[in-house]
Amino acid sequence: MAGMLYLVPTPIGNLGDISIRCRQILEEADFIAAEDTRVTMKLLNHLGIKKSLVSYYEHNKAQKGNWILERIQAGETCALVSDAGSPAISDPGEDLVRQCAEAGITVCAIPGPCAVITALSISGQATGRFCFEGFLSTAKKSRREHLESLISEKRTMIFYEAPHKLLSTLEDMASVFGAERPISLCRELTKLHEEVIRTTLGQAIAMYTEQSPRGEFVLVLAGASDETPALPTAQDAALFVARLMDAGMSRKDAIKKTALDLKLPKNIVYDAALGHSE
Ligand code: SAM
């Protein structure tokens, strides 16, 4: 019998979200390839399934991918899972799917939990057209470049983000899209403390300056509308501050007034005025 690869989505918080079909495939597969075998072992224990596990993650995928492929070609069935959600979506799997497709191996994706779709559907933003932008880079320059490439994007934009980077990401977003741009912050989806904050970038910054963000987040940002005004850039802010200072205002007051008038977060204006924005 020919082997095949199953992509098996797992719960993003609520264990009850494992489907009957996923459970059956995990039970029947010859082996399970998992991002973190300890995480998957907890799920298997919960389901009462005993199965041989192999690790397949970012840093061993080149070597392990070939080995998994050989086993499938020898007739075995592999179920690929990630720590949570759908494999291959900002998770290991993309390369394995490509390798299998190139080798003529059948790949079967089981529908199921996926943070991007769960967030979009609950966000209250337009769902007709959207684009998934994954994680932004940790490097400030490439994060800004990524966001600036989206400045005219009309579709709803979806981002994954870690809590410790949330505030600086919101600040970068506000400087590119404006503080008034609507955003839904979808936090701890399907978990006990699930929360959806439908607000603007400016208000989200104010909120998370007061309290540290906790838990897992998906950011669902409204696209540009026909009424979206041309946005002031960091350079505009620097110029504005310079003019006010030329007119005799102190730097502190000039930054405050610029932030207010251009509806930009104060720290963005501060950075721009001091030439730190690039
Ligand atoms: N492949 C997974 C999926 O399809 O859902 C996504 C994996 S990615 C490495 C993890 C990111 O997904 C988190 O940093 C967070 O942005 C988002 N995420 C996962 N579970 C979540 C949850 N329960 N609530 C909110 N965001 C979540």
Side-chain angles (χ1 to χ4, degrees):
M1 203 177 94
M4 65 186 284
L5 175 70
Y6 283 100
L7 304 176
V8 180
T10 53
I12 58 170
N14 187 323
L15 289 176
D17 291 335
I18 192 90
S19 73
I20 296 170
R21 189 170 174 218
C22 288
R23 190 181 190 134
Q24 190 182 349
I25 286 160
L26 291 175
E27 268 166 358
E28 290 174 3
D30 292 304
F31 68 103
I32 297 172
E35 183 182 7
D36 183 333
T37 51
R38 290 161 305 179
V39 172
T40 302
M41 189 54 84
K42 280 189 198 152
L43 177 71
L44 295 185
N45 287 342
H46 171 79
L47 298 173
I49 297 174
K50 284 198 170 51
K51 186 69 58 177
S52 125
L53 285 177
V54 301
S55 73
Y56 177 79
Y57 60 97
E58 191 53 35
H59 299 292
N60 76 355
K61 66 182 184 187
Q63 163 234 337
K64 269 293 172 64
N66 289 333
W67 185 74
I68 291 171
L69 205 74
E70 280 168 22
R71 286 185 68 171
I72 298 175
Q73 280 171 323
E76 289 190 84
T77 295
C78 172
L80 176 70
V81 297
S82 65
D83 288 350
S86 297
I89 306 299
S90 292
D91 262 343
E94 184 181 333
D95 294 345
L96 190 60
V97 171
R98 191 179 309 115
Q99 274 177 289
C100 286
E102 281 168 8
I105 291 167
T106 305
V107 181
C108 178
I110 315 297
C114 184
V116 50
I117 296 302
T118 311
L120 176 67
S121 53
I122 203 173
S123 67
Q125 306 289 351
T127 60
R129 296 186 67 203
F130 64 90
C131 52
F132 175 52
E133 296 297 322
F135 285 102
L136 291 167
S137 164
T138 45
K140 190 164 175 66
K141 189 164 181 283
S142 36
R143 194 164 76 220
R144 281 294 297 247
E145 281 168 1
H146 184 162
L147 291 173
E148 279 163 9
S149 74
L150 296 168
I151 202 150
S152 317
E153 181 57 68
K154 291 191 167 177
R155 293 172 295 179
T156 299
M157 293 162 268
I158 310 172
F159 302 84
Y160 284 162
E161 194 49 287
H164 65 279
K165 289 198 287 143
L166 181 72
L167 189 56
S168 55
T169 292
L170 292 173
E171 286 168 350
D172 282 347
M173 283 179 168
S175 72
V176 174
F177 304 106
E180 301 296 308
R181 182 70 67 95
I183 185 167
S184 303
L185 299 107
C186 306
R187 192 177 84 83
E188 295 287 87
L189 293 166
T190 77
K191 302 185 193 175
L192 187 62
H193 299 292
E194 173 172 309
E195 185 180 29
V196 181
I197 303 158
R198 302 179 183 89
T199 182
T200 61
L201 285 169
Q203 281 167 5
I205 291 168
M207 181 176 158
Y208 286 118
T209 305
E210 290 285 308
Q211 64 182 72
S212 308
R214 288 235 204 111
E216 297 198 276
F217 282 86
V218 181
L219 308 178
V220 185
L221 184 69
S225 69
D226 292 337
E227 298 86 55
T228 304
L231 291 167
T233 62
Q235 282 90 335
D236 294 333
L239 208 65
F240 212 85
V241 172
R243 286 206 187 118
L244 291 172
M245 286 173 67
D246 285 347
M249 203 178 264
S250 72
R251 186 194 300 274
K252 191 170 166 227
D253 287 346
I255 288 172
K256 201 167 161 192
K257 181 166 170 49
T258 303
L260 213 65
D261 290 358
L262 299 189
K263 295 194 169 69
L264 284 171
K266 209 150 83 182
N267 60 333
I268 302 284
V269 178
Y270 182 84
D271 278 355
L274 296 184
H276 293 165
S277 60
E278 295 311 309

